[in-house]
């Protein structure tokens, strides 16, 4: 188990270094989410795999390698389709957790 | 976004409220089963969201697994609207009638306006165009405008130019009338100019023919003024149509007498009735006589003439009564009649002197006038020539 985890982190570090050398976008190769934020009103998260927490002030989304936590007030998921979530409301912060 | 909203309206959607379980699990299960949610809001464990009409039928297992109780807040969209109103036959018929009316009437002519005519009445022009197919209710796209214009020009001899414009459902006919200059007087029948009244010649201008009188000559009615017989240099004669202007000083008398007792037709009652007009069709509401005065009114909205209208028919009944006028009224009527007669008589001539006398008694009053005028007394008279003269 420990070995598999070590192998996983090694593979990730190799992919990170390759994308760094080849100057490729991180979200295309490394499996990171692509997040676009327009002002503090709207966020578009691509690569969303599920909702972990949802209430008026916090939305936590599973994006694979990271958990994205969007804080704010009056948050609404406008649509969630094909791994893309559009969140609207007053966004006060974005946190990332492993 | 507007297109998306419209498409969602067409396919129908429901606003739902889900509560009492695990909202996140509910959202994730919906995502996994391909159930699209939008306008998703979660507050205190209560989800409000919208989903497609067909997706709602698949929500039961998802709700069961996530422990949520789902209920519909609102049904929106065209399928729900049609379901709600499918039993209202009147509404369905009304919508069908409205769509059919719009699609049929929008291709038809609703109104025809004629402009630019002074002497030729609009009714005459409209009658010709009706014969050629330009009438209320005719299909606008089936009218061959250039052919109609040409045919109408041939039929309307007093019109020099015309143009037909069809704009939407309104047809406008613009015309230019043929002026006096356009009329060609090609009649060359030999004729003389003779005096139409007794008088003394003051102006004599022969344009064609032989002058027979001199300025200052007194003439009687029928006297020859300009002859249509011209003598050639070889002493032969030729005939022509005499033309010229002959003005003479003439005397005219005008008299009017008015009795104090007059018979007049007095209105004793009016009856109004209406006719409903739709395009070229008329539906009379009641019995209407031909003698009734008709006033047509077309409905207009924002300057657009609609195909609907009504005609107000006013029928006035008169009864003959004998009235006795006061002396003032009789005088006024006599003067009015006198001036009307003068206006009619002295049109186109100049009055040099005038004397007006007025007499009044118990039976009535009379107005008389002596006038010295300068007027054109030349009158054309065709010559009586036997055919053998031309052979």
């Amino acid at each position: 188990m420990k070995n598999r985890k070590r192998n996983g982190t090694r593979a990730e570090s190799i992919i990170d270094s390759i994308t760094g050398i080849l100057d490729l976008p991180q979200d295309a190769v490394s499996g990171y989410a692509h997040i676009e934020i327009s002002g503090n009103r709207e966020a578009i998260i691509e690569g969303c795999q599920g909702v972990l927490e949802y209430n008026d002030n916090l939305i936590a989304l599973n994006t694979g390698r990271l958990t994205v936590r969007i804080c704010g007030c009056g948050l609404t998921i406008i649509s969630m389709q094909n791994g893309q979530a559009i969140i609207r409301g007053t966004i006060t912060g974005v946190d990332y957790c492993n | 976004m507007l297109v998306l909203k419209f498409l969602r309206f067409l396919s129908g959607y429901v606003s739902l409220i889900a509560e009492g379980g695990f909202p996140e699990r509910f959202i994730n299960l919906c995502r996994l089963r391909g159930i699209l949610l939008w306008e998703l809001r979660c507050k205190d464990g209560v989800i409000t969201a919208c989903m497609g009409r067909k997706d709602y039928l698949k929500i039961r297992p998802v709700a069961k697994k996530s422990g949520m109780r789902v209920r519909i807040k609102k049904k929106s969209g065209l399928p729900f609207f049609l379901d709600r109103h499918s039993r209202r036959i009147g509404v369905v018929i009304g919508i069908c009638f409205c769509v059919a009316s719009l699609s049929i009437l929008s291709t038809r002519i609703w109104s025809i306006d004629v402009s630019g005519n002074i002497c030729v009445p609009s009714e005459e022009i409209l009658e010709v165009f009706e014969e050629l197919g330009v009438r209320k209710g005719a299909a606008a796209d089936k009218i061959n405008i250039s052919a109609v214009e040409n045919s109408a020009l041939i039929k309307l001899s007093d019109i020099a130019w015309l143009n037909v414009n069809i704009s939407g459902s309104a047809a406008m006919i613009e015309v230019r009338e043929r002026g006096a200059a356009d009329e060609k007087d090609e009649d060359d029948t030999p004729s003389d100019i003779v005096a139409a009244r007794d008088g003394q010649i003051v102006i004599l201008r022969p344009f064609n023919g032989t002058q027979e009188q001199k300025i200052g000559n007194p003439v009687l009615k029928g006297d020859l003024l300009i002859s249509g017989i011209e003598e050639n240099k070889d002493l032969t004669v030729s005939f022509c149509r005499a033309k010229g202007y002959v003005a003479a000083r003439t005397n005219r008398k005008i008299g009017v007498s008015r009795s104090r007792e007059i018979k007049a037709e007095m209105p004793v009652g009016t009856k109004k009735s209406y006719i409903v007009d739709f395009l070229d069709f008329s539906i009379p509401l009641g019995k209407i006589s031909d003698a009734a005065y008709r006033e047509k009114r077309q409905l207009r909205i924002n300057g657009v003439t609609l195909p609907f209208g009504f005609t107000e028919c006013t029928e006035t009944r008169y009864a003959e009564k004998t009235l006795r006028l006061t002396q003032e009224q009789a005088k006024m009527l006599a003067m009015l009649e006198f001036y009307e007669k003068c206006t009619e008589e002295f049109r186109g001539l100049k009055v040099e002197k005038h004397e007006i006398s007025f007499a009044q008694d118990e039976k009535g009053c009379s107005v008389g006038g002596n006038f010295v005028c300068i007027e054109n007394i030349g009158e054309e008279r065709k010559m009586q020539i036997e055919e053998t003269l031309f052979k």
Side-chain angles (χ1 to χ4, degrees):
Chain A
M1 185 74 181
K2 212 173 184 180
N3 242 351
R4 198 187 289 170
K5 198 173 182 183
R6 200 182 291 160
N7 286 343
T9 49
R10 191 183 289 170
E12 281 170 12
S13 65
I14 290 166
I15 289 167
D16 283 350
S17 57
I18 289 168
T19 50
I21 291 162
L22 295 175
D23 209 13
L24 292 169
Q26 290 285 336
D27 60 310
V29 182
S30 317
Y32 287 115
H34 177 91
I35 301 173
E36 274 182 40
I37 300 177
S38 309
N40 68 340
R41 294 285 168 193
E42 190 180 84
I44 300 168
I45 298 113
E46 281 176 21
C48 172
Q49 291 176 9
V51 181
L52 300 175
E53 203 178 336
Y54 185 16
N55 60 52
D56 222 18
N57 304 319
L58 174 73
I59 295 174
L61 299 172
N62 175 16
T63 61
R65 289 175 67 178
L66 288 172
T67 299
V68 180
R69 288 160 61 87
I70 293 168
C71 308
C73 54
L75 297 175
T76 312
I77 298 176
I78 293 295
S79 82
M80 206 166 143
Q81 199 179 9
N82 301 329
Q84 187 197 56
I86 301 171
I87 294 166
R88 212 171 271 172
T90 310
I91 297 165
T92 54
V94 180
D95 292 339
Y96 300 95
C97 315
N98 272 317
Chain B
M1 204 63 188
L2 198 70
V3 175
L4 193 65
K5 276 184 181 175
F6 180 67
L7 290 173
R8 281 172 182 168
F9 173 79
L10 283 184
S11 58
Y13 61 95
V14 290
S15 301
L16 57 90
I17 296 173
E19 55 193 338
F22 303 101
E24 291 84 4
R25 189 165 159 72
F26 178 77
I27 296 164
N28 288 329
L29 284 170
C30 283
R31 192 181 65 82
L32 285 172
R33 287 173 189 240
I35 297 168
L36 179 63
L37 297 171
W38 67 91
E39 303 291 342
L40 186 62
R41 201 177 281 269
C42 185
K43 198 174 184 182
D44 304 328
V46 180
I47 291 176
T48 52
C50 297
M51 67 167 59
R53 188 171 62 105
K54 285 177 183 170
D55 284 345
Y56 184 73
L57 304 172
K58 297 189 272 181
I59 204 88
R60 190 184 285 268
V62 176
K64 201 173 180 183
K65 270 192 175 178
S66 59
M68 303 285 283
R69 272 180 286 112
V70 180
R71 62 189 164 88
I72 292 171
K73 191 179 163 191
K74 192 185 171 189
K75 292 176 182 175
S76 312
L78 191 64
F80 293 116
F81 177 82
L82 292 177
D83 277 353
R84 251 195 327 270
H85 297 289
S86 59
R87 285 184 184 178
R88 297 184 179 180
I89 301 295
V91 174
V92 175
I93 292 170
I95 291 168
C96 293
F97 179 74
C98 182
V99 171
S101 307
L102 275 177
S103 56
I104 293 167
L105 288 177
S106 59
T107 59
R108 306 274 153 173
I109 289 176
W110 294 1
S111 65
I112 305 170
D113 287 329
V114 182
S115 63
N117 56 321
I118 299 163
C119 299
V120 183
S122 298
E123 289 77 17
E124 191 184 324
I125 296 168
L126 286 173
E127 205 172 291
V128 169
F129 274 92
E130 197 172 333
E131 281 172 24
L132 298 169
V134 183
R135 66 172 78 86
K136 281 183 187 176
D141 55 340
K142 285 184 182 170
I143 295 170
N144 185 350
I145 293 174
S146 57
V148 166
E149 283 175 351
N150 290 336
S151 307
L153 262 182
I154 294 165
K155 289 192 174 184
L156 294 161
S157 55
D158 292 334
I159 301 294
W161 171 88
L162 62 83
N163 184 32
V164 180
N165 288 313
I166 296 174
S167 163
S169 296
M172 280 159 281
I173 303 167
E174 281 181 78
V175 297
R176 294 283 176 278
E177 287 177 357
R178 210 178 285 281
D182 296 334
E183 288 174 12
K184 287 180 182 174
D185 194 359
E186 289 175 346
D187 185 12
D188 284 329
T189 313
S191 60
D192 297 321
I193 289 182
V194 297
R197 299 182 71 87
D198 301 348
Q200 187 185 17
I201 294 170
V202 287
I203 302 166
L204 182 58
R205 286 181 197 147
F207 304 139
N208 199 21
T210 313
Q211 180 179 330
E212 296 290 338
Q213 300 287 345
K214 284 180 184 173
I215 293 172
N217 279 8
V219 288
L220 294 172
K221 187 181 175 182
D223 281 358
L224 188 63
L225 303 174
I226 301 166
S227 169
I229 302 168
E230 284 181 319
E231 196 173 305
N232 301 320
K233 284 180 182 174
D234 59 355
L235 298 176
T236 57
V237 290
S238 57
F239 298 93
C240 66
R241 186 181 172 193
K243 287 178 186 172
Y245 176 72
V246 186
R249 186 172 286 113
T250 58
N251 286 315
R252 279 174 182 258
K253 279 183 183 177
I254 293 174
V256 169
S257 60
R258 165 64 57 198
S259 166
R260 282 182 67 186
E261 277 190 359
I262 58 163
K263 281 184 179 175
E265 284 196 333
M266 303 289 285
V268 287
T270 55
K271 185 188 162 194
K272 277 192 178 181
S273 43
Y274 296 90
I275 298 172
V276 177
D277 298 315
F278 172 69
L279 291 176
D280 228 10
F281 307 101
S282 301
I283 306 156
L285 307 174
K287 200 180 173 186
I288 297 155
S289 78
D290 293 337
Y293 171 73
R294 290 162 192 242
E295 195 177 348
K296 207 166 189 175
R297 288 177 192 173
Q298 208 76 14
L299 291 181
R300 289 170 77 90
I301 294 176
N302 285 340
V304 177
T305 310
L306 299 181
F308 309 98
F310 65 93
T311 308
E312 193 181 80
C313 304
T314 313
E315 196 179 343
T316 311
R317 279 177 288 115
Y318 294 94
E320 201 173 79
K321 282 184 180 176
T322 308
L323 298 174
R324 178 149 180 92
L325 305 173
T326 62
Q327 282 195 335
E328 277 302 307
Q329 284 173 332
K331 183 182 173 183
M332 203 176 280
L333 264 180
M335 292 297 276
L336 190 69
E337 207 171 308
F338 177 75
Y339 285 124
E340 273 179 3
K341 218 169 179 181
C342 288
T343 314
E344 191 66 33
E345 196 89 357
F346 300 145
R347 190 166 288 156
L349 55 88
K350 186 184 165 189
V351 177
E352 271 195 340
K353 284 180 193 169
H354 67 274
E355 268 177 34
I356 296 169
S357 58
F358 181 76
Q360 200 167 19
D361 58 14
E362 269 305 304
K363 286 184 179 174
C365 60
S366 58
V367 186
N370 289 322
F371 301 88
V372 177
C373 312
I374 304 287
E375 61 179 298
N376 182 11
I377 59 161
E379 186 183 53
E380 195 172 353
R381 190 177 63 189
K382 301 278 182 216
M383 283 189 197
Q384 298 291 322
I385 300 167
E386 287 181 19
E387 277 184 26
T388 49
L389 285 171
F390 290 107
K391 284 179 183 173

